Amino acid sequence: MGTAGPARTAPARPAVIACTGKVLQRPAGLIWLLIAGQIVTWTLAPALTHVVPPLDVVEGYMWGQERVIATYKHPALPSWVLEMTRLLTGTVGWPAYLASQLFVGASFFFVYRLGCDLMGRERAAAGTLLLTGILYYSWTTPEFNHNIVQTTFWAGFAWALWRAVDRQALLWWVILAAFASLAFYAKLSTALLLVAGGIWMLLDARGRAAFATYGPFLALALLAVAVAPLGSWLAETNFAMLRYAAERTSYATPKGIHEFVLGALGALAGFLPLLAAGLVRRPAAGGGGAGTLPAVDPRALRFLLVLTGVPPALLIVAALVTGTGLKAAWASSMFNLTGLLAIAMSGARFHPRSLQRIAAVALGLVVAIPVAYAVFVSMPFRTGKPPLRVLWSGPEISARMSAVWDQATGGAPLRIVAGENWVAGLIALPLGDRPHLLSDVNLARSPWISARQLADQGMLVVWEERKAPIDMQPYINARTEEWRFEKFTAPSSRIPIEIGYIVVPPRRVAR
């Protein structure tokens, strides 16, 4: 007999490719790859294309330096985050974009962990990856704001609630209270989530049984202590945040509700095709065996239905009862569990190959959408149209308006910039002395500035285009200069930015 030839071995693959292949075969690996891709691409896209930060980021930086617990709009947690990034890095702009993506990545993590508890790793990974098709997890994320922060803690709350009820461990009730408290310091609409969680507990047998233990009452007590300072601030400011919310809902109810529903559906425009790509094929008839996944527990499905459906339903009912409107962006924190819910409802249409298809499309979107965003912001096709706000020549505007102040006041320190938050904040943000922002020239909206301080230090009042500012007489008297305007240009636009201004000099240099 002849001797056998040498055994044939498979060609060796490069270590990087082999490692990547292993990651893509593991649901947890897919999620970590998603989080890493989200942070890198969505930090770079605005950092490379924006000249100045978006409106909410400018506001956040300006309010963060005041170290207040809240503003007339919202609680101040996002502002604290921005102030910390400014102190750590010594700059503004890209740290805000990075912070935003860290919060989005944390949302993905909490959603995945909840999905693992509810229906296994494969379905959990698929439900998390589906979020890449939702507008509020991609295109809007460069604008770090209260919605993004609330979204993260909203997801964490859902995960902690399930574990607290399911495991009946006091530690999870403490964690639940922490997530709820942080969510309240992001946005007061967190109350809708607490109502949804309470409804689910009443509907669920284990949830009802939990009320016979110390856990829920410990969580409520800790939450009450944590948010007490916020409640005190609300009372001291005559419920300024609630009055601001009422102002924002003042348009007609039918239009507002229609816009809310249509906006929510529009945000899901990329989600539905992504879901269809994963579920387009049914598994083979009679296809049991190793590739078959167990059915989703009906209890888990009810949890997802209640926590996803109740908050927007409460908003709509409240709008109908009070005769107010709604804004579509208010639903952005309510989409966390949409992917898990869709996968849970897909039944037998979801199988192991579904995850592979969803992952392929989702990870592609994490690269493609930021590229499209960067192209949209930077391409010159906007010539002839007003420039995007993020392309305003902020440093030039700030430097020139600072020089105007110096010339008019003989070099007195610029301590207060007043006016609409965007223009006033854009001018104040780069200045080394970090002047205060007086929103809408309204002391009630900037309680860190006193009337005496305003009289002694003066202010630079600014506004966009030829829009007359609000009544200035209580602050100006005979000290103001005449209204003047400065024009600026911006990349990719030939339409000038026109800034109106009034110099109200400090008392010691008053004319």
Side-chain angles (χ1 to χ4, degrees):
M1 294 180 61
T3 58
R8 306 181 79 182
T9 58
R13 293 187 299 170
V16 173
I17 296 177
C19 181
T20 303
K22 291 180 180 179
V23 169
L24 295 177
Q25 291 172 10
R26 294 168 45 236
L30 288 171
I31 298 306
W32 286 117
L33 187 60
L34 167 66
I35 292 172
Q38 176 83 20
I39 292 173
V40 171
T41 59
W42 277 111
T43 298
L44 288 176
L48 296 175
T49 57
H50 289 189
V51 177
V52 292
L55 167 61
D56 288 352
V57 177
V58 170
E59 285 184 342
Y61 276 126
M62 294 306 302
W63 287 329
Q65 70 185 26
E66 305 300 342
R67 317 290 172 86
V68 292
I69 198 169
T71 69
Y72 69 93
K73 286 188 176 183
H74 297 295
L77 178 55
S79 301
W80 305 342
V81 173
L82 289 175
E83 178 66 6
M84 285 189 290
T85 67
R86 185 172 187 169
L87 292 175
L88 288 172
T89 65
T91 189
V92 300
W94 69 262
Y97 310 139
L98 175 60
S100 185
Q101 301 316 317
L102 290 174
F103 273 84
V104 175
S107 299
F108 290 155
F109 174 79
F110 293 137
V111 170
Y112 173 69
R113 294 306 304 162
L114 172 63
C116 289
D117 289 350
L118 296 179
M119 50 190 176
R121 293 180 300 167
E122 289 82 4
R123 287 190 175 99
T128 307
L129 288 161
L130 285 175
L131 297 180
T132 59
I134 298 178
L135 177 72
Y136 300 122
Y137 295 87
S138 57
W139 199 274
T140 63
T141 58
E143 189 158 13
F144 181 69
N145 56 25
H146 300 81
N147 292 330
I148 288 174
V149 175
Q150 186 189 41
T151 294
T152 301
F153 298 125
W154 196 294
F157 176 92
W159 178 44
L161 176 62
W162 178 264
R163 287 207 165 188
V165 170
D166 207 45
R167 301 186 179 190
Q168 296 297 340
L170 285 180
L171 175 62
W172 281 103
W173 291 107
V174 173
I175 295 173
L176 178 68
F179 278 127
S181 302
L182 290 168
F184 264 113
Y185 277 93
K187 213 170 180 183
L188 294 184
S189 58
T190 297
L192 299 172
L193 179 61
L194 266 64
V195 173
I199 291 174
W200 174 74
M201 288 183 66
L202 293 173
L203 295 175
D204 183 74
R206 288 183 65 84
R208 292 191 299 272
F211 287 112
T213 70
Y214 293 111
F217 305 102
L218 173 63
L220 286 173
L222 292 174
L223 174 62
V225 171
V227 302
L230 191 57
S232 176
W233 187 92
L234 271 172
E236 291 173 2
T237 57
N238 194 24
F239 301 94
M241 283 187 284
L242 300 183
R243 288 186 283 109
Y244 172 76
E247 292 176 11
R248 299 274 284 172
T249 60
S250 60
Y251 44 84
T253 301
K255 178 182 178 183
I257 294 177
H258 291 164
E259 287 182 351
F260 178 78
V261 174
L262 292 176
L265 293 176
L268 293 170
F271 170 87
L272 298 177
L274 182 55
L275 176 64
L279 307 180
V280 68
R281 296 179 183 176
R282 293 180 181 273
T292 302
L293 296 174
V296 175
D297 184 352
R299 179 169 172 258
L301 180 58
R302 285 194 297 271
F303 177 83
L304 293 171
L305 281 169
V306 172
L307 264 70
T308 302
V310 167
L314 289 174
L315 269 183
I316 292 173
V317 170
L320 290 173
V321 170
T322 60
T324 56
L326 297 172
K327 292 182 68 65
W330 293 351
S332 61
S333 301
M334 304 176 188
F335 284 98
N336 271 316
L337 308 184
T338 307
L340 296 181
L341 177 61
I343 294 298
M345 296 180 66
S346 64
R349 290 188 67 91
F350 182 84
H351 51 97
R353 292 188 60 188
S354 299
L355 174 57
Q356 298 172 16
R357 291 198 291 267
I358 291 174
V361 179
L363 295 176
L365 290 177
V366 171
V367 176
I369 298 179
V371 170
Y373 177 91
V375 170
F376 173 81
V377 170
S378 59
M379 288 296 285
F381 62 79
R382 294 190 59 85
T383 299
K385 299 180 180 180
L388 296 172
R389 278 182 169 176
V390 295
L391 295 182
W392 279 36
S393 47
E396 177 193 355
I397 295 174
S398 179
R400 194 182 305 182
M401 298 311 300
S402 178
V404 166
W405 170 268
D406 287 343
Q407 182 177 5
T409 64
L414 175 55
R415 301 299 188 191
I416 300 171
V417 182
E420 190 270 329
N421 287 348
W422 166 245
V423 178
L426 193 68
I427 291 170
L429 183 61
L431 299 179
D433 291 337
R434 304 190 71 177
H436 301 290
L437 170 65
L438 179 56
S439 298
D440 300 323
V441 204
N442 185 340
L443 288 174
R445 292 194 163 184
S446 301
W448 46 85
I449 302 174
S450 67
R452 180 171 181 175
Q453 180 182 359
L454 187 63
D456 290 343
Q457 298 178 356
M459 60 181 168
L460 174 64
V461 186
V462 292
W463 65 94
E464 181 183 354
E465 299 177 353
R466 294 186 177 275
K467 298 177 182 177
I470 64 172
D471 182 17
M472 297 282 296
Q473 292 310 312
Y475 309 108
I476 298 175
N477 298 320
R479 289 192 290 146
T480 183
E481 293 188 352
E482 62 183 85
W483 295 5
R484 298 184 182 182
F485 295 87
E486 293 280 337
K487 291 185 178 181
F488 305 88
T489 58
S492 73
S493 176
R494 295 177 181 175
I495 296 181
I497 301 165
E498 194 167 24
I499 304 296
Y501 69 90
I502 299 174
V503 174
V504 183
R507 192 190 302 274
R508 64 182 178 80
V509 294
R511 299 180 179 182

